[in-house]
Each structure stands twice: as structure tokens, then as C-alpha cells.
Amino acid sequence: ASHVEAATVCVDAVAEAWIAAGEFADAAGILQEFAARVPGQIGTLLRLVEVSVDGGLEATMYEAQAQLADAYLAADRLEEARVIAEDLVTREPHEISHVERLRTALTMLDVDDVEGAIAARVDPEQIAGVDLEHEEREPVAPHAQPVAVPMRRVQQAAPPAPAAPPTAAPAAAE
């Protein structure tokens, strides 16, 4: 634990130096690397979200928020997990892992109508192809507390028909 704390101080110092230089992508990179090596560090993930917002790093921010929601679930900080999961679902309702994070948080919070709460955030047309009746379920975060939580499956859409090869234009007569 003391090594993690010392490493956190070092990583934060390096990130701050990159931020001071206006290099938000580099600051986010060092925070991402640390988060990958030491998962579940809420402080690091919060800082990564902040740096990503400040630097306009949208994809990094979404990934960091997902990791942060998982870390909150693992730490039993369910209200925080719920807020972030709701934000992720509102922004990307087609992303099944976000829906599952929200379902996990709501289930752990003992919400009476979990599916109704999810439906209130998700426009059914935005998640076309999701089988809402399938019963096989898996937890979202492997490091979160084990909870028997449903996982919806995406129905396999028929592959698009191959494009017809271009026809050769007739040769011009000379």
C-alpha cells in the first residue's frame, strides 16, 4: 500500500508537469498507464477524467469514466457509481457495458424497478439489436463485488451484402 501511495505521488507530479506545459494527452497517458498497472485507484481515475475533460480528450474521458464507475462499484460507493453509469448510458445507450454498469449499481442499491430505471434513461430506438428478454447474465466488472446481474446480448445482425464489383466502362472508340 505504501508503494502505491508513493507511486501515486510521483505519477501525480509528472501529470501536473505535463498539464502545466499544456500537454494534456501526455498527462492523460501517464495517468492511464498507472490506472492500468494499479486498477481501481479512484483518485487517479478522477484526475484522469478531469485531465481528459480539460484537454478535450473525449474517448479517454469515456474510458476513464467507465473504469471509475467500476472502481466505485468495487469500493461499494454505489451512489457515485450510479451517477457515472447514468451519464455513460445517457451518452452511449447502445453500449451494453454501460447499461450493465448501471444495472449493477441499481441492483446493488436495491432499486425496486431496475429495468424501469434503465428504460427511463434509454430510448429503445437507440439500442436497436439489443435482446431485452434474454436471461443469461454476467457481471460487468471482474474486480467489482460479485453480483448476479443480467447481461443483455446483442442480436447478431445479418452481415451486409457484399458490394457489387464495379463494371468496367466500355472502351471509347477512337
Side-chain angles (χ1 to χ4, degrees), residues 138-156:
E138 300 171 12
V140 172
H143 57 279
Q145 291 182 349
V147 178
V149 179
M151 176 172 244
R152 309 294 186 187
R153 291 198 176 183
V154 176
Q155 296 172 345
Q156 294 296 328

Side-chain angles (χ1 to χ4, degrees), residues 5 31 33 36 64 92 95 105 122 136 158:
E5 290 172 20
L31 292 167
E33 182 64 28
E92 294 181 310
E95 183 60 48
V122 177
E136 185 177 328

Side-chain angles (χ1 to χ4, degrees), residues 1-12 34 37-41 44:
S2 65
H3 294 295
V4 171
E5 290 172 20
T8 300
V9 170
C10 293
V11 167
D12 287 345
F34 186 67
R37 291 175 186 256
V38 187
Q41 296 298 306
T44 298

Side-chain angles (χ1 to χ4, degrees), residues 4-155:
V4 171
E5 290 172 20
T8 300
V9 170
C10 293
V11 167
D12 287 345
V14 172
E16 285 303 316
W18 283 117
I19 292 166
E23 299 295 332
F24 292 97
D26 290 327
I30 190 84
L31 292 167
Q32 280 179 304
E33 182 64 28
F34 186 67
R37 291 175 186 256
V38 187
Q41 296 298 306
I42 291 172
T44 298
L45 293 168
L46 282 168
R47 188 68 176 131
L48 179 55
V49 169
E50 181 181 305
V51 168
S52 299
V53 169
D54 291 347
L57 307 169
E58 193 170 302
T60 302
M61 181 192 68
Y62 295 152
E63 181 182 326
Q65 282 184 306
Q67 291 173 350
L68 182 58
D70 291 343
Y72 279 144
L73 287 170
D76 233 9
R77 293 175 60 176
L78 305 178
E79 283 299 331
E80 290 104 326
R82 177 186 186 166
V83 169
I84 293 172
E86 285 174 343
D87 183 51
L88 289 166
V89 167
T90 299
R91 205 173 30 244
E92 294 181 310
H94 59 280
E95 183 60 48
I96 301 304
S97 62
H98 298 331
V99 174
E100 289 308 314
R101 272 184 197 89
L102 179 55
R103 182 174 284 112
T104 299
L106 294 171
T107 300
M108 291 174 76
L109 284 165
D110 292 325
V111 170
D112 288 334
D113 184 10
V114 170
E115 296 306 316
I118 292 170
R121 294 236 168 245
V122 177
D123 176 1
E125 290 183 21
Q126 293 178 309
I127 57 169
V130 175
D131 179 3
L132 295 177
E133 299 302 320
H134 197 278
E135 292 301 319
E136 185 177 328
R137 298 170 182 214
E138 300 171 12
V140 172
H143 57 279
Q145 291 182 349
V147 178
V149 179
M151 176 172 244
R152 309 294 186 187
R153 291 198 176 183
V154 176
Q155 296 172 345

